[in-house]
Amino acid sequence: MMPSWHVVTRLQSVVARETAPADQVAVTVGAFHAGERANVIPDRAELALTVRAVSGASLERAARAVERIVRAECAAADCPRKPDVVRVPSSPAVTPDPAVTEAVRGAHRAEFGAERVAAWPASPATEDFGLFGEAGRELHGASGVGLGYWMLGTAGMAAWSRARAQGSPLPSNHPPDFAPDARTALPAGVRALTAAALCRLGGAARGGPASDGRA
């Protein structure tokens, strides 16, 4: 048990001590499993964690740091066997195309009004979206695919009012208290997706420049 506790504590240094402040990296231990009974000392522990970054180089550097720390802590504790480190399939960093992004932002401003569309700073949010672009060329066989990625606000007016009154931030999509307001978020999401699709794929039908479909 002791090595696994030390691993969790030491992993905080990957962001705090090994990452530049301007380079966004997140290391989250989302699951820790050890033991089945209160009076039986477990002989193994399993940790599941997520590493996020805004660039492929930062992601790989952080992943290597995680593996280094796990192995070092087990070696320091003289564990009877080496740890098993398994990397599940990862997602590449998303790098949106500036031209596509600006075109989609313009379509969203026309659809919702400029006051409801804001610029979003660099973020490690990605999932598998990056595979639609250059990072997934071996999968889809196309090159030069421009990506456009936007965030959708899902909080209702009641949540906004409470957050403003309490001076607290709204929960993002990973905390346990995240609760999107489907009545307002779902219609807005459908409108945003439709506007973006028509912007990139329906230009010729509206008399505008036709897209080559790679977006």
Side-chain angles (χ1 to χ4, degrees):
M1 290 294 293
M2 290 298 293
S4 56
W5 296 338
H6 288 305
V7 165
V8 174
T9 302
R10 183 61 183 267
L11 284 177
Q12 312 308 310
S13 67
V14 174
V15 175
R17 300 298 182 186
E18 300 188 35
T19 303
D23 190 10
Q24 292 190 43
V25 173
V27 178
T28 304
V29 179
F32 188 127
H33 301 286
E36 301 294 339
R37 303 281 296 181
N39 62 342
V40 178
I41 299 174
D43 61 352
R44 65 189 302 273
E46 179 178 336
L47 278 65
L49 55 94
T50 301
V51 180
R52 296 183 179 89
V54 295
S55 70
S58 298
L59 183 64
E60 179 59 28
R61 183 172 61 251
R64 288 200 306 267
V66 169
E67 185 169 344
R68 184 193 73 231
I69 288 172
V70 171
R71 297 191 185 282
E73 290 294 347
C74 290
D78 195 23
C79 292
R81 54 169 291 185
K82 294 182 179 180
D84 295 322
V85 180
V86 179
R87 287 199 195 187
V88 299
S90 62
S91 300
V94 174
T95 304
D97 180 88
V100 174
T101 300
E102 186 57 34
V104 172
R105 182 183 292 119
H108 285 164
R109 284 173 176 166
E111 178 70 23
F112 298 103
E115 69 280 0
R116 295 183 62 186
V117 180
W120 190 264
S123 169
T126 172
E127 309 307 334
D128 58 355
F129 183 73
L131 294 175
F132 286 103
E134 196 67 20
R137 184 171 55 179
E138 294 184 0
L139 298 174
H140 52 64
S143 60
V145 179
L147 299 180
Y149 191 92
W150 68 86
M151 308 295 284
L152 175 69
T154 62
M157 290 302 299
W160 273 105
S161 299
R162 286 195 302 270
R164 187 171 184 177
Q166 298 171 1
S168 58
L170 290 165
S172 63
N173 60 331
H174 287 285
D177 56 347
F178 174 64
D181 186 345
R183 295 173 299 175
T184 57
L186 187 57
V190 172
R191 288 174 60 191
L193 181 58
T194 303
L198 290 176
C199 163
R200 299 303 297 164
L201 303 177
R206 299 193 307 274
S211 168
D212 61 2
R214 297 195 207 176

